Amino acid sequence: MIQRFVIGKPFPTESVVLDLPAETGPVPYLTPDGDGWQYVMQEKDIVYGLGEMPRGLNKRGWHYETNNTDESEHGENRLSYYAAHNFLLISPADGSGCIGIFVDFPGKVSYDIGYTRHDTLRFATAEPNYALCLITAPAAAEVAKEFRQLIGPSYIPPKWAFGLAQSRFGYKTEADIREVAAQYKANGLPLDMICLDIDYMQSYADFTIDKARFPDLGKLAAGLKAEGIRLVPIIDAGIRCDDNDPVCREGLEKGYFCTKEDGTPFVAAVWPGKAYFTDFLRPDARAWFGRQYKVLTDLGIEGFWNDMNEPALFYSPERLKAFFEKAAALSRKDNLDQNDFFGLVRSVMGLMNAPEDYRSFYHDTAAGRVRHDRVHNLYGGCMTRAAGEAFQTLRPGQRTLLYCRSSSIGAHRWGGIWLGDNHSSWSQLLANIQMMPAVQMCGFLYSGADLCGFSEDTTPDLALRWLEFGLFTPLMRNHADAESREQEFYRFTDVLPAIRNMLDLRYALLPYLYSEFMKAALEDAPYFRPLAFDYPADPDAREVDDQLLLGEGLMVAPVHTQNAHGRTVYLPEGMKMLRLRSVSDYDEEVLPAGRHYLPCELGEVLLFIRPGHTVPVAQPAANTALLDDTALTFWRFAPDGRPAPYRMYADDGVTTDHNRPEHWRIVGQ
Amino acid sequence: MIQRFVIGKPFPTESVVLDLPAETGPVPYLTPDGDGWQYVMQEKDIVYGLGEMPRGLNKRGWHYETNNTDESEHGENRLSYYAAHNFLLISPADGSGCIGIFVDFPGKVSYDIGYTRHDTLRFATAEPNYALCLITAPAAAEVAKEFRQLIGPSYIPPKWAFGLAQSRFGYKTEADIREVAAQYKANGLPLDMICLDIDYMQSYADFTIDKARFPDLGKLAAGLKAEGIRLVPIIDAGIRCDDNDPVCREGLEKGYFCTKEDGTPFVAAVWPGKAYFTDFLRPDARAWFGRQYKVLTDLGIEGFWNDMNEPALFYSPERLKAFFEKAAALSRKDNLDQNDFFGLVRSVMGLMNAPEDYRSFYHDTAAGRVRHDRVHNLYGGCMTRAAGEAFQTLRPGQRTLLYCRSSSIGAHRWGGIWLGDNHSSWSQLLANIQMMPAVQMCGFLYSGADLCGFSEDTTPDLALRWLEFGLFTPLMRNHADAESREQEFYRFTDVLPAIRNMLDLRYALLPYLYSEFMKAALEDAPYFRPLAFDYPADPDAREVDDQLLLGEGLMVAPVHTQNAHGRTVYLPEGMKMLRLRSVSDYDEEVLPAGRHYLPCELGEVLLFIRPGHTVPVAQPAANTALLDDTALTFWRFAPDGRPAPYRMYADDGVTTDHNRPEHWRIVGQ
């Protein structure tokens, strides 16, 4: 059951698609508490949700603030990451009904989930104008499904977007790109995409191409595509201030940019230096921005990633000026004491993503002129929508790849996300595992973390262990920051055979992974989910924070600690374990329900088939186009001796007619 | 067997106490590799060591650099923390002999332990002048013991230093201190120490007292001592530049400070603004600095902590000036591009602990004038030595509490350490568990992390879980940064009964913990150690990275993940498990060898008694002075039915005559 309560006069976020009447009675389950709501938790109640946020599957024991932030220091103590996913799912330990809470509000929402008091959940919006949707059902899985119905169907990418993507902030020229493609091929590693970071642009200006570095991008794209590799360029939120740039000029002339209080365009510096920011909350500005992608789709580009769309701001000219004045004043002092000195440090760091800047510009929406900070969390998602809407016109009937950094619920209908700028660490591998079901619960099915880690330096074993989980995530991208260790998979020569086996395994599993993704997208089914969703009556299953169910028939239990040669796995029921060194080299064993310590060396992956399930397996291929999903073998666990068939989805992978019944076939009878 | 090899002309670090002849033959086990040494690891070989460093008990899979650094961003990807502990212990999986490696060098040493290549260990010193000590023995425990003999006996604090210490950067006045003491008492929580951070000083100048805030520190100390609470003030490495300060004036007049190339005193800013840095590598300067503690010992102070002794540097006047000039130049530009802007950010951050500054000053040692960076890692330890040597004169025959931030091996003979400026996070709780045996292996027996975490914000459950491990560490201090959440244990009213029970448990276990500490200190025995040290033939014991053996008879297995209600524990042999809610309320069960999932709720602690062992348990007390170690009960695991006696150490806890045989008694027959 979904109940919608309206408090004050909410801004129309368009996050939900169901048109629910506003309830008139009191809000059940929650207790009013000042400007927010309170819920007292029993010790073993679990609170799922919040999508892209730090900490475990169970969000208890921390406070959070949905406030889309360019937070490159991913870690357990951050309050906000790049996205605002205002969904909580309370699963009481006593078996009483589960409660879903969606706070439909475009500004900051703060959550205290056992941070101040261990037993108390509290949340509040920055303003008393919001809609509160309460979903109640006996089981968590039902609440999750009803929520997906409330927010509408998830974005579906082309099938080739389930191949491997290689990316790095630092590929500067056509030669760099060709080198990556050549090395993958030379090393016998599959590849479907190479991403272009901002260096392909002229002076980091959106919708331009640096002709010195990429003399013929269309030819490059076509040549790579012939080898099964798509080029996927980046688009940033800010439009470079440049009177000679036609896009900039048109945006200015037609008034599509966000404005300051005095009506002049808001300016802040990002990668290209000073930039304007399209008012994505306006349909006309969205349409205009979306049309600009044509310069790239005309070159044969079929996929994009949208970045910097929180929007991230390096500095505003006003605040930079104030900083320089402060520095000049301090420079006249003989001896900076600690207050002066750390004040100086804080001043510089505080130039970036300054709250004052977010309070200094405006959107002109159908609901009136509104200051940015009050609708901040909609910005990134509306940029996603700008692109998604445009692709329907630019590439009619065709799927276009799109995944974005910032998002709010609703944007999942237009694109996927990556999990933000993480870093190369074992704790971020665990965060990847724990974040996947949380973002997918919020509709962002096509998602994944930067494998091996974006910033800082990875290691051969971390790269391999991360791949051992990443091979199951819909978006499988290896992406790195400019100053971090080179981490294309072919760099790790000492563990290369194992890396090749794991990449091959991904491709071999695509008939299953793609089918399960399509079930999730078309039927509001789950892809990744906590064990307790399927085994709600099992108290031990509720304890598990680092294993996931994957589609109908599989469970994964990744090794996420360094130097481990195995791990403890909990089986809520008897399952068949596969310990895979490759798609053709594995141990198998039927294990009873319970906890098991299972050896799992570097280069091995543990996979569990649930009873009565069958998994179709293809032969590995160099890219998705070469994958033959008719020549299948089957991994099964049929404890009753009767092999179950598998309902598989197979289509051309590129057109938008997802719903034709002939895409479904029964295999493995 | 210990072999000492001399490469080049090493600086006399005085880290070791055994006078070993230099070997003349080739170095065994290691292969020369450019300017360093290489060792090829088999997949299951373990590399222990490196003391205060990130990552697990097994240091494989990362690179490190011993380069004492004020690294407040503790995390798995840092290369250096506050200490230089150049000891490695290789434990091959094939059962062949273990190898200890001590790199006796006062500058930077870099270690690549499977970072570049998964299977290769490599290390190198910054200069080709060092001693290399190789210790070989059949078992890791023997190597560890021989290493302790090589480096000499560990510092022993007074017994009251095993009580609870409460600290916070932010106690500004006598009233603040009295409030802490009163709240601990009012809430029925034991307490032995309150630490004074830099606010007790006048303008952050060492060896001064702010009389406005602390009108009569001696009276305060005496009053608190009457209640069983010692005041433990901080001393920083830098001496405030102040012509009116007699200590500063004398240091200048007698030339005790480090100098620049031109012979004038080196100046850099720390907490008091500009400061001088005593040349602790000189015996006369050490003696002079040590004498200054008298101003506080004369007030009845019996313990200190030395801080900022890497030395940390906020900025040098030269580099600050250069920064202001750079800022002024940038301020004249119309549009800072990303290189300009991030250059500005890096310039500010780079003012702190700048390598250029460490290369700009000198020490005048018996071995000649030497540039600081070449002996950098000795600085903190020599400050420890300055204090430790002075206390022998200032407080003859008495033990004085001393623990320090920066250290190198050798300093363990003069003081303990805390594990640096950590932060409030679950990953830092695990780091605490994993660092303890590593620093104790290097002689720093009296050690512990800042419980609840120093910077950032703790939570009620983290505070309690951390205490559940911290109650076993020799130094048990709750310490917090100025801007972090208040975290005195009495603040957590919602879990206060459990916190009280855990603190009581610490005091009740002191007869065991103090005895085991004294065995470790007097007999070069281990206190904390990895399971594999005692069960070298058990391959599963080698896998365990988050359980520790504690003294002769106990094993601990702390819960270190949030929202866990239990954990998997590996028992190398049958043990008696105690699940303690308090010293008098617990479950007990004899468990067979193997892996067990054991429930362990918040407020419970798992403790394991090894077969044939007995643990003496006292009644809880409000402080160590009130602890009655004659009224003991005993926890035992006597599978053969014959209770084993326990060899207990008991003395007055304050004098230095540790070695009298009458301090040992046999109890629990």
Side-chain angles (χ1 to χ4, degrees):
Chain A
M1 181 177 68
I2 311 181
Q3 295 169 283
R4 179 165 164 270
F5 299 87
V6 173
I7 289 90
K9 191 162 182 289
F11 184 90
T13 63
E14 302 183 47
S15 294
V16 307
V17 297
L18 297 187
D19 192 15
L20 299 173
E23 301 280 334
T24 52
V27 175
Y29 307 109
L30 305 177
T31 308
D33 177 16
D35 57 351
W37 301 90
Q38 196 196 90
Y39 179 90
V40 175
M41 303 175 287
Q42 301 303 306
E43 181 62 21
K44 291 196 176 178
D45 293 355
I46 297 175
V47 181
Y48 297 107
L50 291 185
E52 188 187 311
M53 274 292 186
R55 306 244 167 180
L57 291 175
N58 187 349
K59 310 315 284 185
R60 289 183 67 158
W62 193 238
H63 54 150
Y64 311 86
E65 187 178 65
T66 46
N67 179 36
N68 293 351
T69 303
D70 181 8
E71 177 53 81
S72 60
E73 301 253 336
H74 268 208
E76 65 181 272
N77 282 358
R78 299 288 82 83
L79 306 191
S80 309
Y81 282 172
Y82 294 87
H85 299 152
N86 290 303
F87 177 61
L88 297 179
L89 200 170
I90 301 171
S91 172
D94 62 8
S96 62
C98 292
I99 308 162
I101 301 171
F102 175 53
V103 187
D104 193 356
F105 180 71
K108 284 183 194 172
V109 187
S110 57
Y111 301 86
D112 179 332
I113 311 181
Y115 169 75
T116 299
R117 273 188 65 88
H118 181 64
D119 66 355
T120 306
L121 182 160
R122 190 182 181 286
F123 65 90
T125 55
E127 291 181 64
N129 299 300
Y130 58 99
L132 191 62
C133 298
L134 284 191
I135 307 170
T136 45
E142 292 168 64
V143 171
K145 185 164 188 141
E146 284 200 54
F147 180 60
R148 298 270 303 285
Q149 290 164 345
L150 174 67
I151 60 177
S154 295
Y155 160 79
I156 296 173
K159 187 174 178 184
W160 50 261
F162 292 82
L164 174 67
Q166 179 59 55
S167 186
R168 180 182 179 85
F169 179 20
Y171 298 155
K172 290 194 184 300
T173 64
E174 176 176 326
D176 290 344
I177 301 300
R178 290 196 187 277
E179 169 73 6
V180 170
Q183 286 290 345
Y184 266 93
K185 190 169 185 180
N187 285 284
L189 304 175
L191 185 67
D192 266 83
M193 295 164 273
I194 300 176
C195 305
L196 295 175
D197 210 313
I198 54 176
D199 288 300
Y200 82 90
M201 301 179 192
Q202 180 67 50
S203 307
Y204 305 146
D206 275 348
F207 311 116
T208 67
I209 295 159
D210 185 324
K211 298 284 184 185
R213 294 171 168 185
F214 291 87
D216 192 338
L217 191 66
K219 190 175 160 199
L220 177 64
L224 288 172
K225 186 175 172 182
E227 298 176 46
I229 299 168
R230 259 80 172 183
L231 267 189
V232 181
I234 193 172
I235 297 293
D236 275 354
I239 296 283
R240 184 172 191 263
C241 296
D242 180 357
D243 291 342
N244 297 317
D245 180 282
V247 176
C248 175
R249 222 165 38 222
E250 186 182 2
L252 273 178
E253 281 165 10
K254 302 211 170 138
Y256 289 137
F257 299 139
C258 293
T259 50
K260 293 192 283 192
E261 194 166 11
D262 64 6
T264 61
F266 169 74
V267 171
V270 275
W271 291 112
K274 290 180 189 168
Y276 301 117
F277 294 84
T278 302
D279 188 352
F280 291 115
L281 275 65
R282 287 166 49 188
D284 59 343
R286 272 206 299 274
W288 168 77
F289 191 91
R291 281 195 298 277
Q292 311 307 322
Y293 285 82
K294 186 168 188 296
V295 68
L296 291 158
T297 55
D298 281 353
L299 296 178
I301 298 294
E302 301 169 67
F304 298 89
W305 46 308
N306 284 351
D307 199 5
M308 298 290 285
N309 51 337
E310 295 72 27
L313 307 177
F314 294 166
Y315 65 85
S316 66
E318 295 83 357
R319 287 173 46 73
L320 184 66
K321 184 160 173 284
F323 166 74
F324 282 132
E325 284 165 5
K326 178 175 183 171
L330 285 175
S331 74
R332 291 186 288 271
K333 283 186 122 172
D334 173 53
N335 191 354
L336 297 200
D337 68 14
Q338 48 116 349
N339 290 320
D340 289 333
F341 178 70
F342 288 110
L344 182 75
V345 172
R346 273 189 291 263
S347 295
V348 172
M349 301 310 289
L351 289 171
M352 290 182 273
N353 310 311
E356 297 89 325
D357 288 332
Y358 291 123
R359 286 194 295 265
S360 74
F361 66 97
Y362 291 80
H363 300 272
D364 286 303
T365 77
R369 185 162 162 85
V370 56
R371 204 174 66 188
H372 173 80
D373 62 301
R374 301 174 67 178
V375 291
H376 172 72
N377 290 339
L378 289 183
Y379 192 82
C382 286
M383 181 186 178
T384 305
R385 184 171 177 178
E389 287 172 332
F391 297 149
Q392 294 176 343
T393 308
L394 295 174
R395 308 186 68 245
Q398 299 293 304
R399 295 184 227 169
T400 304
L401 172 60
L402 178 64
Y403 57 93
C404 307
R405 193 168 74 178
S406 184
S407 65
S408 56
I409 290 172
H412 68 283
R413 302 195 295 269
W414 306 103
I417 56 173
W418 80 98
L419 301 180
D421 291 354
N422 63 1
H423 60 265
S424 300
S425 74
W426 292 84
S427 57
Q428 287 292 299
L429 164 54
L430 178 58
N432 184 187
I433 297 165
Q434 294 174 325
M435 232 186 269
M436 286 306 301
V439 300
Q440 292 192 321
M441 230 179 273
C442 295
F444 294 94
L445 294 179
Y446 187 73
S447 54
D450 288 348
L451 302 186
C452 310
F454 174 65
S455 64
E456 308 190 2
D457 297 321
T458 198
T459 63
D461 53 340
L462 177 60
L464 182 46
R465 285 298 195 195
W466 208 324
L467 177 59
E468 288 168 18
F469 173 66
L471 73 89
F472 298 109
T473 62
L475 167 60
M476 178 172 67
R477 179 172 76 148
N478 177 337
H479 182 43
D481 199 2
E483 290 177 11
S484 62
R485 179 180 187 172
E486 291 184 312
Q487 64 181 35
E488 291 79 12
F489 281 122
Y490 51 78
R491 305 275 181 190
F492 303 104
T493 52
D494 48 337
V495 292
L496 194 57
I499 282 180
R500 186 181 298 115
N501 287 339
M502 292 300 118
L503 289 172
D504 282 349
L505 183 58
R506 158 65 165 225
Y507 281 76
L509 284 172
L510 275 181
Y512 178 81
L513 299 177
Y514 183 59
S515 295
E516 295 304 313
F517 182 92
M518 294 306 280
K519 288 173 194 171
L522 299 174
E523 299 166 4
D524 292 323
Y527 183 93
F528 283 123
R529 60 203 181 278
L531 270 57
F533 275 41
D534 287 37
Y535 304 93
D538 178 347
D540 289 314
R542 291 172 61 89
E543 290 290 305
V544 177
D545 219 39
D546 65 350
Q547 301 171 210
L548 300 174
L549 297 170
L550 195 190
E552 290 176 353
L554 291 179
M555 182 179 79
V556 296
V559 174
H560 54 81
T561 51
Q562 191 164 33
N563 297 316
H565 300 279
R567 56 161 288 171
T568 298
V569 178
Y570 177 70
L571 271 58
E573 62 181 326
M575 296 186 187
K576 180 187 278 188
M577 177 208 70
L578 302 181
R579 183 185 297 109
L580 298 145
R581 286 169 289 281
S582 76
V583 68
S584 55
D585 176 18
Y586 53 86
D587 314 317
E588 63 177 19
E589 186 179 357
V590 173
L591 297 172
R595 287 189 182 79
H596 304 268
Y597 179 86
L598 299 172
C600 183
E601 299 293 333
L602 196 58
E604 293 182 334
V605 64
L606 296 171
L607 192 59
F608 301 86
I609 306 175
R610 298 171 68 176
H613 284 277
T614 293
V615 177
V617 182
Q619 283 302 303
N623 55 58
T624 51
L626 297 176
L627 197 76
D628 181 358
D629 63 9
T630 60
L632 299 171
T633 56
F634 297 94
W635 292 341
R636 309 172 184 277
F637 179 34
D640 60 2
R642 288 179 301 185
Y646 180 73
R647 187 166 66 102
M648 190 170 103
Y649 185 94
D651 63 356
D652 66 6
V654 294
T655 56
T656 53
D657 59 346
H658 321 108
N659 270 319
R660 292 170 61 178
E662 61 265 38
H663 294 159
W664 295 103
R665 61 174 87 146
I666 301 299
V667 297
Q669 279 116 323
Chain B
M1 182 179 66
I2 311 182
Q3 294 168 282
R4 179 164 164 270
F5 299 87
V6 174
I7 290 90
K9 190 163 181 293
F11 185 88
T13 64
E14 302 184 47
S15 294
V16 307
V17 297
L18 297 186
D19 192 17
L20 300 173
E23 301 280 334
T24 52
V27 174
Y29 309 108
L30 306 176
T31 309
D33 177 16
D35 57 351
W37 300 90
Q38 197 197 90
Y39 180 91
V40 175
M41 302 174 287
Q42 301 303 306
E43 181 63 20
K44 291 196 175 177
D45 293 355
I46 298 175
V47 181
Y48 298 106
L50 291 184
E52 187 187 310
M53 274 292 187
R55 307 242 167 181
L57 291 176
N58 187 348
K59 310 314 285 184
R60 289 183 67 158
W62 192 238
H63 54 149
Y64 311 86
E65 187 176 66
T66 45
N67 179 36
N68 294 351
T69 303
D70 181 9
E71 177 52 83
S72 60
E73 303 252 336
H74 267 205
E76 65 181 273
N77 282 358
R78 298 290 82 82
L79 306 192
S80 308
Y81 283 171
Y82 294 86
H85 298 153
N86 291 302
F87 178 61
L88 297 178
L89 201 170
I90 302 171
S91 173
D94 62 8
S96 62
C98 292
I99 308 161
I101 300 171
F102 175 53
V103 187
D104 193 357
F105 181 69
K108 284 183 193 170
V109 187
S110 58
Y111 301 86
D112 180 331
I113 311 181
Y115 170 75
T116 299
R117 273 188 64 89
H118 181 63
D119 65 356
T120 307
L121 182 162
R122 190 183 181 286
F123 65 90
T125 55
E127 291 179 64
N129 299 299
Y130 57 100
L132 192 61
C133 298
L134 285 191
I135 306 170
T136 46
E142 293 167 63
V143 171
K145 184 161 189 145
E146 283 199 53
F147 181 58
R148 298 270 303 285
Q149 290 163 346
L150 174 66
I151 60 176
S154 296
Y155 160 79
I156 296 173
K159 187 174 178 184
W160 50 260
F162 292 83
L164 174 66
Q166 179 60 56
S167 185
R168 180 180 179 86
F169 179 19
Y171 298 156
K172 290 193 184 301
T173 64
E174 176 176 326
D176 290 344
I177 301 299
R178 289 196 186 277
E179 169 73 6
V180 170
Q183 286 289 346
Y184 266 92
K185 189 170 185 179
N187 285 284
L189 304 175
L191 186 67
D192 266 83
M193 294 165 273
I194 300 176
C195 305
L196 294 175
D197 210 313
I198 54 175
D199 289 300
Y200 84 89
M201 301 180 194
Q202 179 67 51
S203 307
Y204 304 145
D206 275 347
F207 311 117
T208 68
I209 296 158
D210 186 324
K211 296 284 182 184
R213 294 171 168 184
F214 291 87
D216 192 339
L217 190 66
K219 191 177 160 196
L220 177 65
L224 288 173
K225 186 174 171 182
E227 297 176 45
I229 299 169
R230 259 80 172 182
L231 269 188
V232 181
I234 194 172
I235 297 293
D236 274 356
I239 297 283
R240 183 172 191 263
C241 296
D242 180 357
D243 291 343
N244 297 317
D245 180 283
V247 176
C248 175
R249 222 166 36 222
E250 186 183 3
L252 275 178
E253 281 165 10
K254 303 214 170 136
Y256 290 136
F257 299 139
C258 294
T259 50
K260 294 192 283 193
E261 195 167 10
D262 64 5
T264 62
F266 170 74
V267 171
V270 275
W271 292 112
K274 291 180 189 167
Y276 301 117
F277 295 84
T278 302
D279 188 351
F280 291 115
L281 275 66
R282 287 165 49 190
D284 59 343
R286 274 204 299 273
W288 168 77
F289 190 91
R291 280 195 299 274
Q292 311 308 321
Y293 285 82
K294 186 167 187 297
V295 67
L296 290 157
T297 55
D298 281 353
L299 297 177
I301 299 294
E302 300 169 65
F304 298 89
W305 46 308
N306 284 351
D307 198 6
M308 298 290 284
N309 51 337
E310 295 73 27
L313 308 177
F314 294 166
Y315 66 85
S316 64
E318 295 82 359
R319 287 172 48 74
L320 184 67
K321 183 160 175 283
F323 165 75
F324 283 132
E325 284 164 6
K326 178 175 183 172
L330 286 174
S331 74
R332 291 186 287 270
K333 284 185 120 172
D334 174 54
N335 190 355
L336 296 201
D337 68 14
Q338 49 117 349
N339 290 320
D340 288 333
F341 178 70
F342 289 110
L344 182 74
V345 172
R346 273 191 290 263
S347 294
V348 172
M349 302 308 288
L351 289 172
M352 289 182 274
N353 309 312
E356 297 90 326
D357 288 333
Y358 291 122
R359 286 196 294 266
S360 75
F361 66 98
Y362 292 79
H363 300 272
D364 286 304
T365 77
R369 186 163 163 87
V370 57
R371 206 174 68 189
H372 173 78
D373 62 302
R374 302 174 68 180
V375 291
H376 173 72
N377 290 338
L378 289 184
Y379 192 80
C382 286
M383 181 186 176
T384 305
R385 184 172 176 178
E389 286 172 332
F391 297 149
Q392 294 176 344
T393 309
L394 295 174
R395 308 187 66 243
Q398 300 291 305
R399 294 184 227 169
T400 304
L401 172 60
L402 177 64
Y403 58 93
C404 307
R405 194 167 74 179
S406 184
S407 65
S408 57
I409 290 172
H412 68 282
R413 302 195 296 269
W414 306 104
I417 55 173
W418 80 98
L419 302 180
D421 291 355
N422 64 2
H423 60 266
S424 299
S425 75
W426 293 84
S427 56
Q428 287 291 300
L429 164 54
L430 178 58
N432 183 187
I433 297 165
Q434 295 174 325
M435 233 185 270
M436 286 306 300
V439 299
Q440 292 193 322
M441 230 179 273
C442 296
F444 293 95
L445 294 179
Y446 186 72
S447 55
D450 288 348
L451 302 186
C452 309
F454 174 66
S455 65
E456 307 190 5
D457 297 321
T458 197
T459 64
D461 53 342
L462 178 59
L464 182 47
R465 286 298 195 195
W466 208 324
L467 177 59
E468 288 168 17
F469 172 67
L471 73 89
F472 298 109
T473 61
L475 167 60
M476 178 172 68
R477 179 172 78 148
N478 177 337
H479 182 44
D481 199 2
E483 290 176 12
S484 62
R485 178 180 187 172
E486 291 184 314
Q487 64 182 35
E488 291 78 13
F489 281 121
Y490 52 79
R491 306 275 180 190
F492 303 105
T493 52
D494 49 337
V495 292
L496 194 58
I499 282 179
R500 187 181 298 116
N501 287 340
M502 291 300 119
L503 288 173
D504 282 349
L505 183 56
R506 158 65 166 225
Y507 281 76
L509 284 171
L510 274 182
Y512 179 81
L513 299 176
Y514 183 60
S515 297
E516 294 303 314
F517 182 91
M518 293 307 280
K519 288 172 194 171
L522 299 175
E523 299 166 4
D524 292 325
Y527 183 94
F528 283 124
R529 61 204 179 278
L531 269 57
F533 274 43
D534 287 37
Y535 303 93
D538 178 348
D540 289 313
R542 292 171 61 89
E543 290 291 305
V544 177
D545 220 36
D546 65 351
Q547 302 171 210
L548 299 174
L549 298 170
L550 196 190
E552 289 176 355
L554 292 179
M555 182 179 78
V556 297
V559 173
H560 54 81
T561 52
Q562 192 164 33
N563 297 316
H565 300 279
R567 57 161 289 172
T568 298
V569 178
Y570 176 70
L571 271 57
E573 61 182 325
M575 295 186 189
K576 181 186 277 187
M577 177 208 71
L578 303 181
R579 183 186 295 109
L580 297 146
R581 288 169 287 282
S582 75
V583 67
S584 55
D585 176 19
Y586 53 86
D587 314 317
E588 62 178 17
E589 187 179 356
V590 174
L591 296 172
R595 286 188 183 79
H596 305 267
Y597 179 85
L598 299 173
C600 183
E601 299 294 335
L602 197 57
E604 293 182 334
V605 64
L606 296 171
L607 192 60
F608 301 85
I609 306 175
R610 298 171 69 178
H613 283 277
T614 294
V615 177
V617 182
Q619 284 301 305
N623 56 57
T624 51
L626 297 176
L627 197 76
D628 180 358
D629 63 9
T630 60
L632 299 172
T633 56
F634 297 93
W635 293 341
R636 309 173 185 277
F637 180 34
D640 60 3
R642 286 179 301 184
Y646 180 72
R647 188 167 64 102
M648 191 170 103
Y649 185 94
D651 63 355
D652 66 8
V654 294
T655 55
T656 52
D657 58 347
H658 321 109
N659 269 319
R660 291 169 61 177
E662 60 266 37
H663 294 158
W664 295 103
R665 62 174 86 143
I666 302 299
V667 297
Q669 277 116 321

